Amino acid sequence: MATPLHPAPASDADPPVLVAGGPFTAVELQAMEHDGVLRRLIADAYVPIQCGEAPELRARGLAAILAPRLVHRTVVGRLTAAWVYGCAGRPDTPVLLVDGSRRMSTLRATHRLLVHEVYFGPFDVVELAGVRVTSPLRTAVDLAIHSEEGVSVPVLRRMLAQPRLGLTVGLVARGLDALPRQPHLARARRVIARVAGAPAS
């Protein structure tokens, strides 16, 4: 079961996430974006221009564009999880993770996605607004291992700069040390060394 992440205080009470078909068409939503009434949150999901972003709102945006079965059977991960936490740019192709014991062939998406089979530890998944997301620590470890240095270093610095995420360089380094041997572990350690050697941006 995913652990709920402590929510940040919300300034907006559940602002609407709008997608085509209820109650507006895609053309109407695009027109309202053009007029400055809405802004695109992710893919074809829009929110009122005045509402502030929070991890819970980004998670709701993802849920709005994904098939319900995907929301229930996958975990948002890697750079997409970092975006949910407010530490990476909006993903063009959301990354979803599925437990290695599940059959990926049964998953169907309505939007372009990347889906990876992984294995989760007992504390690797948290829940935000009903969406399962890799925990901040698992996200940081995954980024160090799977993303190129030029991408992962600035994102990790932003994650470390957010007290709410509860990360330190030492904690991420210990997370890497706890992993079994894998091809990119040496690169991941270089990434963490680079992050430790410069202030967060």
Side-chain angles (χ1 to χ4, degrees), residues 9-67:
S11 57
D12 301 301
D14 294 329
V17 175
L18 302 172
V19 294
F24 304 106
T25 67
V27 172
E28 288 172 327
L29 291 171
Q30 291 165 11
M32 285 187 281
E33 180 188 25
H34 183 267
D35 292 341
V37 176
L38 301 178
R39 62 182 168 81
R40 190 185 300 265
L41 184 60
I42 185 171
D44 301 322
Y46 298 81
V47 293
I49 192 71
Q50 73 275 11
C51 76
E53 281 198 34
E56 293 78 12
L57 181 61
R58 297 187 194 96
R60 288 175 54 218
L62 274 171
I65 66 167
L66 297 176

Side-chain angles (χ1 to χ4, degrees), residues 2 37-38 42-44 61 67 93 125 136 148 174 185 193 198:
V37 176
L38 301 178
I42 185 171
D44 301 322
T93 306
V125 179
E148 295 298 327
R174 289 195 295 276
L185 203 52

Side-chain angles (χ1 to χ4, degrees), residues 60-106:
R60 288 175 54 218
L62 274 171
I65 66 167
L66 297 176
R69 182 164 51 174
L70 280 171
V71 175
H72 295 133
R73 298 190 63 187
T74 64
V75 176
V76 177
R78 301 185 186 177
L79 281 170
T80 308
W83 170 76
V84 169
Y85 293 129
C87 299
R90 180 175 63 199
D92 293 326
T93 306
V95 174
L96 301 179
L97 308 178
V98 63
D99 190 279
S101 63
R102 294 184 181 272
R103 291 182 57 193
M104 288 175 56
S105 60
T106 64

Side-chain angles (χ1 to χ4, degrees), residues 105-126:
S105 60
T106 64
L107 300 179
R108 294 292 181 268
T110 57
H111 287 263
R112 195 160 54 105
L113 303 167
L114 289 175
V115 182
H116 300 283
E117 280 188 357
V118 301
Y119 292 95
F120 294 112
F123 305 108
D124 284 346
V125 179
V126 298

